[in-house]
Amino acid sequence: AARMADTMIKKRKPKPERSQTLALVLQGSIGQRVTVDLRNETEIEGTIDSVRSDFSISLVSVRLTRVNGKTTTHAQMYIPGRSIRYVRLPESINICESLDTAVLLRRQRQENRRAAAIARNKKSVAAAPIAKKPTLSFAPPMAVSR
């Protein structure tokens, strides 16, 4: 019976850690001019404004070139990560420095979130009124006269 119970328990395989190195490189390259090739063959050139961990990119000072060669300019543009095929980085970007910058920024954000959470918890504990213990009072039984 013990063998049967052992075979019925399925062990979950540990999930591999997702590597986000490329997203970190882009996050560390904020302010750099890049070219993004989309899956629909559109080419977008602009300055990186922000990058999310799902690889979505916000660009400013954008020049969009469609497959037919028509070019338009935009002040800003958001590109969902699922529609990106390639991101062409300029040769001037030092990938090691970009990674270091991104890791430092991520650590600062995490520390700021922790500090804010601790401050919120302290504030809520300090602001919470101290509950008084309920007092129980019993009236002596009344004598019933007939």
Side-chain angles (χ1 to χ4, degrees):
R3 292 178 89 186
M4 186 175 221
D6 290 340
T7 58
M8 294 180 72
I9 297 173
K10 291 184 179 180
K11 293 183 180 179
R12 293 185 181 182
K13 292 181 183 178
K15 292 183 179 180
E17 291 184 27
R18 288 182 22 193
S19 176
Q20 297 179 349
T21 307
L22 190 53
L24 285 173
V25 169
L26 290 174
Q27 288 172 351
S29 303
I30 291 176
Q32 297 288 329
R33 194 118 179 115
V34 296
T35 302
V36 179
D37 294 335
L38 302 183
R39 296 170 86 191
N40 66 358
E41 304 299 327
T42 300
E43 184 177 287
I44 301 171
E45 183 181 339
T47 304
I48 298 175
D49 185 45
S50 66
V51 179
R52 292 181 40 178
S53 60
D54 68 348
F55 207 58
S56 299
I57 302 174
S58 292
L59 299 174
V60 293
S61 304
V62 178
R63 185 184 59 160
L64 182 137
T65 305
R66 299 193 187 276
V67 179
N68 61 8
K70 184 179 177 185
T71 302
T72 57
T73 58
H74 303 274
Q76 60 186 6
M77 183 174 287
Y78 175 81
I79 307 167
R82 66 182 174 274
S83 63
I84 296 173
R85 179 175 289 158
Y86 301 111
V87 177
R88 290 187 257 159
L89 301 171
E91 291 181 21
S92 63
I93 290 180
N94 184 335
I95 293 176
C96 292
E97 285 179 14
S98 294
L99 281 172
D100 290 342
T101 302
V103 169
L104 286 174
L105 289 172
R106 179 179 276 182
R107 284 184 188 153
Q108 287 175 350
R109 281 193 306 268
Q110 288 173 346
E111 289 173 7
N112 291 343
R113 285 186 198 133
R114 282 189 199 118
I118 290 170
R120 272 194 313 273
N121 288 341
K122 284 182 181 177
K123 192 179 212 182
S124 66
V125 169
I130 298 173
K132 293 182 181 179
K133 291 184 178 179
T135 56
L136 300 174
S137 61
F138 294 101
M142 300 280 291
V144 179
S145 61
R146 288 192 191 225

